[in-house]
Amino acid sequence: MVENRPFLTFLTHLVLIAGVVIVAFPVYVAFIASTRTREVLVGGMIPLLPGGHLIENYTEVLSASSAANGLPSYTLMALNSLCMALIITCGKIAISILSAFAIVYFRFRFRLLAFWIIFITLMLPVEVRIIPTYKVVADLGMLNSYPGLTVPLIASATATFLFRQFFMTVPDELMEAARVDGSGPLKFFRDILLPLSRTNIAALCVILFIYGWIQYLWPLLVTTDPGYYTLMMGLKRMVAVQDGEVQWHLVMAGAILAMLPPVLVVILMQRLFIRGLTETEK
Amino acid sequence: MDTKRTIFPNPVLPYLLLAPQLVITLLFFIWPAGQAVKSSFEREDPFGLSASFVGFQHYVRLLNDPLYLDSLARTAVFAVAVTALSMAFGLALAVAVNRLVRSGRVYTTLLVWPYAVAPVIAGLLWWFLFNSTTGVLAYFLGQLGIRWDHNLNGTHAMILIIIAAAWKQVSYNFLFFLAGLQSVPHSLIEAAAIDGSGPVKRFFTIVLPLLSPTTFFLFIVNVNYTMFDTFGIVDATTAGGPAQATNILVYKVYNDGYLGLNLGSSSAQSVLLMLIVVVLTVIQFRYVERRVQY
């Protein structure tokens, strides 16, 4: 800070507190709703203080008996979301660190071509080519399966670029020393490159876990078997009831629970999260 | 495209290392994209048994279809509104946090988490707030004499998805603006302060111009986000309605192709969307290329 102006500092705090309140407001209301009964929520204006049904509502969401509309139990959907997020995270990191290694540390025919094939995926988010991708997945018999849910989302260039950029900054001397010592590429990769990339990998894990957890359109397309529903689909379906009222108290409890894992990851891993975000620029 | 000074001489290994990513990319990215281009020039019979080449017919029809043009215009309105709203809000918060020495970290933590909220959930939360029977905001608006109903009023529905999408995106813009602000050289600010310019003048004459690369980058990323990642928000809240009022392009592709099974038209829409992303990505990459020093 250049000069000390108490009024400006006061104003700064005021802006930030207002910002935090606005940002948190929807989640606060959702939390309130999740502690009330159905009758209170349907009866018009909901109170702005928590009610006494917190434990009751959350147990009802988590217990298998709350499943309706052909939905599986909440825990199964949470498990599916978790599997999806973890497979995407591990798969993406594994394949992109290998391909970045190949592109940076080897010179071979078609290197440029391979680079461009990978690069072009930056331009094709799954949303713009859903129908043909769906067709490929269907033809391969991968509908309603974990591979179908995850593999098409695994290949994307951002992680490859991050690793490529990082490898370029690793001093050449390290590799020369490794070669003088007689270690092959795989040994160099495992003993030197991998340990050096630890923070990058961790940062990417945070970003990719969130990316996997919040997927919606793709699981909506490839899963028709309720056994593979993810949380995001389940929540949407809990609201889209044909007859009768939406069970808002349960929906909001479910939404709060579904928000928790990725939000906790961001808050607890803040430094890694910011690093992963600003370095991949995605 | 550069490699290391020294490289590993190995004729087979690099191909093996590349294979997993290349296979997945070819199978799930390049091939479907090619299929989309191909079927955008074909008409398929209703049973999907045969297809005949029809040239640019789908494109011509789309670009003459008032519904499509309408969707295009709405997408533009939506993208620009969300981008402007979330960037202005993000910048204001970043400037404020950047002023603080000690408490900045706490505020950052309190502001970044919406990034991790799924678009569907963001949609559900705001839908609940604006719900005409139970919503708190709908109630307050009612007190002000505004009868809120996003199920009937197209403008209301559009405002609803703009707010939900902007809410989710603020944290992202905030982080990047904060990073940009922290890289503004302190000596410049101090020199200006010695010359007697106040905080407001300093912000507009020094900080804002220095932030312009960040702003530009964020603009492109945000437009990209609003056009594609907001599918969940639209599907959870308005499902494109009422009367197509919130039927943005990416939702229309899904609607016409997956639900309506109009594959030719949907493919042509996909191809047009891809063209839009390609343009955005090229602009973005040129910028990144210029800024990042390898």
Side-chain angles (χ1 to χ4, degrees):
Chain A
M1 209 169 325
V2 181
E3 66 267 79
N4 191 14
R5 296 195 184 190
F7 175 69
L8 216 57
T9 308
F10 170 74
L11 203 69
T12 306
H13 282 284
L14 208 67
V15 168
L16 284 172
I17 290 168
V20 170
V21 168
I22 294 173
V23 165
F25 182 67
V27 177
Y28 177 73
V29 173
F31 174 71
I32 299 299
S34 74
T35 63
R36 296 275 172 176
T37 57
R38 193 172 58 88
E39 287 73 26
V40 176
L41 297 185
V42 176
M45 175 66 188
I46 79 157
L48 284 176
L49 287 173
H53 296 267
L54 180 119
I55 296 166
E56 197 183 310
N57 288 345
Y58 283 80
T59 7
E60 192 175 344
V61 168
L62 288 172
S63 71
S65 62
S66 68
N69 286 330
L71 281 179
S73 72
Y74 193 89
T75 29
L76 179 66
M77 294 192 292
L79 222 56
N80 284 339
S81 286
L82 187 69
C83 281
M84 191 177 165
L86 290 179
I87 295 173
I88 289 177
T89 308
C90 298
K92 237 179 174 158
I93 288 176
I95 66 164
S96 54
I97 199 168
L98 290 180
S99 56
F101 178 54
I103 284 177
V104 174
Y105 283 95
F106 295 87
R107 210 166 292 156
F108 52 94
R109 231 146 62 102
F110 308 121
R111 199 170 66 101
L112 214 58
L113 180 72
F115 179 79
W116 279 102
I117 289 176
I118 294 170
F119 173 66
I120 211 163
T121 59
L122 270 185
M123 306 187 187
L124 302 172
V126 76
E127 284 83 3
V128 304
R129 50 186 172 81
I130 41 172
I131 308 300
T133 313
Y134 171 80
K135 236 176 134 184
V136 170
V137 171
D139 289 344
L140 291 174
M142 282 162 62
L143 297 179
N144 292 318
S145 72
Y146 287 119
L149 271 175
T150 54
V151 177
L153 297 174
I154 278 178
S156 89
T158 39
T160 313
F161 277 99
L162 176 78
F163 283 125
R164 174 177 167 262
Q165 226 157 300
F166 172 68
F167 290 165
M168 298 304 292
T169 67
V170 172
D172 280 9
E173 287 74 18
L174 276 179
M175 181 207 174
E176 280 156 15
R179 281 191 61 182
V180 169
D181 286 351
S183 77
L186 287 178
K187 196 166 160 52
F188 168 75
F189 178 73
R190 198 188 59 212
D191 290 346
I192 297 176
L193 220 47
L194 216 52
L196 281 178
S197 325
R198 231 176 18 222
T199 32
N200 289 65
I201 294 176
L204 261 183
C205 275
V206 175
I207 299 291
L208 293 177
F209 177 82
I210 296 167
Y211 168 80
W213 185 268
I214 68 178
Q215 281 300 318
Y216 175 66
L217 175 57
W218 187 247
L220 185 69
L221 288 179
V222 293
T223 59
T224 44
D225 174 357
Y228 288 100
Y229 281 5
T230 63
L231 270 188
M232 303 307 141
M233 298 166 65
L235 281 172
K236 162 77 205 309
R237 272 173 213 226
M238 275 168 86
V239 182
V241 282
Q242 296 298 323
D243 37 17
E245 293 144 352
V246 180
Q247 306 267 33
W248 280 115
H249 60 302
L250 297 182
V251 173
M252 287 299 146
I256 295 277
L257 284 176
M259 257 184 276
L260 269 180
V263 167
L264 281 182
V265 165
V266 164
I267 290 174
L268 297 177
M269 311 273 178
Q270 209 186 84
R271 265 193 34 239
L272 284 172
F273 162 69
I274 291 173
R275 194 188 153 108
L277 198 66
T278 47
E279 285 188 359
T280 51
E281 312 224 300
K282 186 79 192 168
Chain B
M1 259 287 288
D2 28 19
T3 33
K4 294 286 183 179
R5 229 175 332 126
T6 45
I7 43 138
F8 286 111
N10 191 321
V12 194
L13 190 62
Y15 297 103
L16 289 178
L17 292 170
L18 269 174
Q21 178 147 26
L22 276 186
V23 168
I24 294 177
T25 305
L26 286 172
L27 204 56
F28 295 106
F29 282 73
I30 310 294
W31 171 252
Q35 287 297 306
V37 174
K38 181 169 161 279
S39 72
S40 74
F41 291 110
E42 286 174 344
R43 183 204 302 281
E44 213 171 318
D45 70 76
F47 303 104
L49 297 174
S50 65
S52 53
F53 184 80
V54 293
F56 282 93
Q57 190 190 321
H58 292 301
Y59 292 95
V60 172
R61 197 171 288 169
L62 266 184
L63 295 174
N64 285 315
D65 179 3
L67 278 179
Y68 185 76
L69 295 177
D70 213 36
S71 173
L72 196 68
R74 284 179 204 289
T75 310
V77 169
F78 176 63
V80 171
V82 171
T83 303
L85 200 62
S86 62
M87 279 176 67
F89 208 55
L91 179 62
L93 294 171
V95 168
V97 165
N98 195 42
R99 272 187 57 82
L100 302 174
V101 184
R102 262 168 301 143
S103 45
R105 283 281 301 278
V106 180
Y107 282 118
T108 307
T109 309
L110 290 172
L111 290 168
V112 294
W113 58 268
Y115 174 86
V117 176
V120 195
I121 296 189
L124 280 180
L125 293 180
W126 285 97
W127 191 37
F128 182 64
L129 288 174
F130 278 114
N131 195 302
S132 48
T133 52
T134 58
V136 183
L137 293 181
Y139 174 82
F140 285 129
L141 286 171
Q143 299 290 305
L144 295 172
I146 302 168
R147 250 191 64 83
W148 183 271
D149 195 344
H150 54 250
N151 291 323
L152 294 176
N153 187 321
T155 316
H156 288 179
M158 184 54 111
I159 293 172
L160 173 70
I161 61 169
I162 287 173
I163 291 177
W167 176 78
K168 208 193 114 41
Q169 192 65 1
V170 163
S171 51
Y172 184 91
N173 294 336
F174 163 75
L175 275 180
F176 276 85
F177 273 130
L178 189 59
L181 284 170
Q182 282 170 351
S183 64
V184 171
H186 223 72
S187 50
L188 276 180
I189 310 277
E190 276 162 7
I194 291 169
D195 285 351
S197 65
V200 177
K201 186 165 184 204
R202 285 203 304 268
F203 177 75
F204 283 104
T205 54
I206 299 175
V207 178
L208 212 53
L210 282 174
L211 271 185
S212 60
T214 311
T215 312
F216 182 67
F217 166 75
L218 282 179
F219 178 77
I220 301 292
V221 171
N222 276 292
V223 168
N224 229 328
Y225 156 81
T226 35
M227 293 193 57
F228 306 112
D229 291 346
T230 46
F231 177 88
I233 293 178
V234 176
D235 194 46
T237 55
T238 60
Q244 314 279 332
T246 54
N247 201 357
I248 59 172
L249 290 176
V250 62
Y251 201 76
K252 200 166 155 57
V253 173
Y254 164 79
N255 232 341
D256 294 0
Y258 189 70
L259 301 178
L261 287 177
N262 191 348
L263 293 180
S265 169
S266 168
S267 300
Q269 291 182 36
S270 283
V271 174
L272 290 176
L273 269 184
M274 283 190 232
L275 286 178
I276 296 175
V277 207
V278 167
V279 171
L280 288 175
T281 314
V282 168
I283 296 172
Q284 179 190 334
F285 200 71
R286 283 190 68 107
Y287 155 74
V288 170
E289 194 83 304
R290 230 183 312 126
R291 212 197 54 166
V292 177
Q293 306 289 326
Y294 291 127

